[in-house]
Amino acid sequence: MYRSSALARVLTVIVAVVLAPVGAGLLAGGGRVWMSSVFQYARELDLAELAGPTALQVLGILLLVAVVVTGIWSSAGLIAVGVLSLAPIVFAMFPAALITSQRAVRLPLEWTDGIIYGVPLVLFPALGTMGVVLALARRRPETKGASLGIVGGILAPVLLAFGAGLLAWGIGTGMLYAYQRFEMAVQPVAVASVLGGVILVVIGIAVTRWSPFALLLPALALLVVNALVLLPDVFFPALFQLPREISSTLPALLLFGTGTAAAFLYLSYTFVLQRVRSRAQQTPAAPVAASSSGQLPGQHPIYPPSPAQYFPGTGMGPAAHSPAIPTYPPAPGTGPTRS
C-alpha cells in the first residue's frame, strides 16, 4: 500500500479539471465539422478539408489521455473530473438548466454542442470511476482470483454497451429533443435513461477492480464501430435499423470522437492500473507501532523475570538450586568469618 503526497493530489486536481473540459471542447469543435460534412456530403468526404477538425479531436483525445495518466501519481484528479460530471448529468435531465448556465457563464458554442450531444456525459463519469478504482488499488493491490477476473471480463463489455445505449436514448429523448423542438419540459423517460446509463457505465468501469483487463475488448469494439463512419454504405444502413431515439444520437457521439476517445481512455487506464498495482505491491508496508508494553502485534508476551532469580532462598527460580551464590545481605550467622 502507498499513498500519494498532498502536492501530487493538488497538482493532479488542477491539471485534470483544466484539461478534461478543454479536451471535451476540442472533441466537440472538430465534431461539428465532421457531422455537417458526413450528413451533407456523406458519399464524397474530402478528408483533406477534415484534416483540421481531425487534428483538434486528436489533441482533445491526447489531453484526456493525459488526465488518465495523472492517476499514476494520484487519483484525486480523476475523482475531481467525476465530480464535474454532475453538471452534464443535470443538464441532460433538465435541458432548461443549460440555457440558464450558458447565459450566465457564456460557454463557447462548441462546448454547448458537446454537452447537448453528450460528450462529457459519456466520458466524465467513466474518468471519475477510474479514479476511485485506482485509489482502491493503491490500498489493496492484490487481485481476487481468476474466477472474478473472468466474470469481470464478461460483465464489463455488456454493462458498457447497455450503458451507452441508455445514455444515447436519454439524450435523444431529453436534451436533443428539447433543443430540436424548443420544448424544455422535463422528460421522465429521459431522466431515467440518463441515470440508468450512468450507473451501468460506472459499474462497467468498477469491475476492473477485480478484472484489470476487462476494458480491452470494449476499447477494440469502439474503434471498430467508430471506423464504420468512414464507410457510409455500411454505416447508414446499419444506423437506420436502430430505434429513432438512438439513431438520432449515436452518429453525433461517434462523429464528435466520443467513441474513439473512450477507447483510448480505456487502453491508457488499463496501463495506469497495472502501473499503480505494481507500485503498491513493491512499496514496503509501513512499520507497525509497538504497544505500550514494548511488544509488536502477534509477538509472544514478554514476562519480567521472577524476583526469585535475584533473591535466592525463596525456594523459587534457578538461584534456589545454586548454593554457591551468596545471599545479599548475608543471613545472620551464615556470613564469612575472619581467621
Side-chain angles (χ1 to χ4, degrees):
M1 180 185 75
Y2 77 97
R3 296 179 180 271
S4 53
S5 64
L7 179 60
R9 296 172 189 171
V10 173
L11 291 179
T12 54
V13 168
I14 295 173
V15 170
V17 297
V18 172
L19 294 188
V22 173
L26 291 174
L27 286 176
R32 294 181 66 203
V33 182
W34 264 97
M35 191 164 64
S36 62
S37 299
V38 167
F39 280 95
Q40 292 180 15
Y41 314 104
R43 310 209 177 255
E44 298 179 2
L45 287 177
D46 189 348
L47 297 181
E49 293 184 358
L50 293 172
T54 303
L56 287 179
Q57 292 185 318
V58 170
L59 179 58
I61 292 173
L62 291 177
L63 293 181
L64 292 169
V65 168
V67 173
V68 176
V69 173
T70 63
I72 294 177
W73 299 281
S74 174
S75 306
L78 288 167
I79 295 174
V81 177
V83 175
L84 291 181
S85 67
L86 295 177
I89 291 173
V90 171
F91 293 150
M93 294 190 299
F94 307 99
L98 181 58
I99 296 180
T100 304
S101 300
Q102 186 180 14
R103 291 173 179 174
V105 184
R106 298 189 179 278
L107 293 173
L109 185 59
E110 292 80 6
W111 287 22
T112 304
D113 285 350
I115 294 173
I116 292 174
Y117 287 105
V119 176
L121 182 62
V122 173
L123 299 179
F124 287 7
L127 290 171
T129 309
M130 292 175 186
V132 174
V133 175
L134 290 175
L136 295 175
R138 281 184 168 84
R139 287 161 175 76
R140 302 188 66 179
E142 66 278 359
T143 58
K144 297 296 183 179
S147 58
L148 279 177
I150 295 174
V151 172
I154 298 173
L155 277 180
V158 175
L159 292 172
L160 292 174
F162 277 98
L166 279 177
L167 285 175
W169 188 290
I171 295 169
T173 57
M175 174 117 26
L176 194 58
Y177 179 88
Y179 277 85
Q180 286 176 343
R181 305 197 179 191
F182 300 101
E183 296 180 10
M184 299 297 167
V186 177
Q187 302 291 334
V189 175
V191 173
S193 298
V194 168
L195 289 178
V198 169
I199 291 173
L200 289 181
V201 169
V202 166
I203 298 175
I205 303 294
V207 299
T208 57
R209 175 68 180 89
W210 303 282
S211 182
F213 299 102
L215 298 184
L216 295 181
L217 182 59
L220 178 61
L222 285 171
L223 292 176
V224 172
V225 171
N226 223 89
L228 294 178
V229 175
L230 301 177
L231 303 173
D233 293 333
V234 178
F235 178 69
F236 283 100
L239 183 65
F240 294 145
Q241 301 300 319
L242 299 174
R244 180 185 60 83
E245 293 80 5
I246 296 179
S247 62
S248 61
T249 308
L250 184 60
L253 285 173
L254 296 177
L255 293 171
F256 273 52
T258 312
T260 304
F264 281 99
L265 294 183
Y266 293 168
L267 293 174
S268 58
Y269 164 72
T270 302
F271 165 77
V272 171
L273 180 58
Q274 294 305 309
R275 176 63 176 158
V276 169
R277 284 180 183 273
S278 176
R279 287 183 63 182
Q281 291 172 347
Q282 294 174 1
T283 303
V288 182
S291 63
S292 58
S293 61
Q295 66 186 65
L296 298 175
Q299 185 178 2
H300 291 294
I302 302 176
Y303 297 102
S306 170
Q309 298 177 359
Y310 303 102
F311 300 97
T314 60
M316 298 183 296
H321 307 285
S322 303
I325 302 178
T327 304
Y328 298 96
T334 61
T337 58
R338 296 178 179 274
S339 56

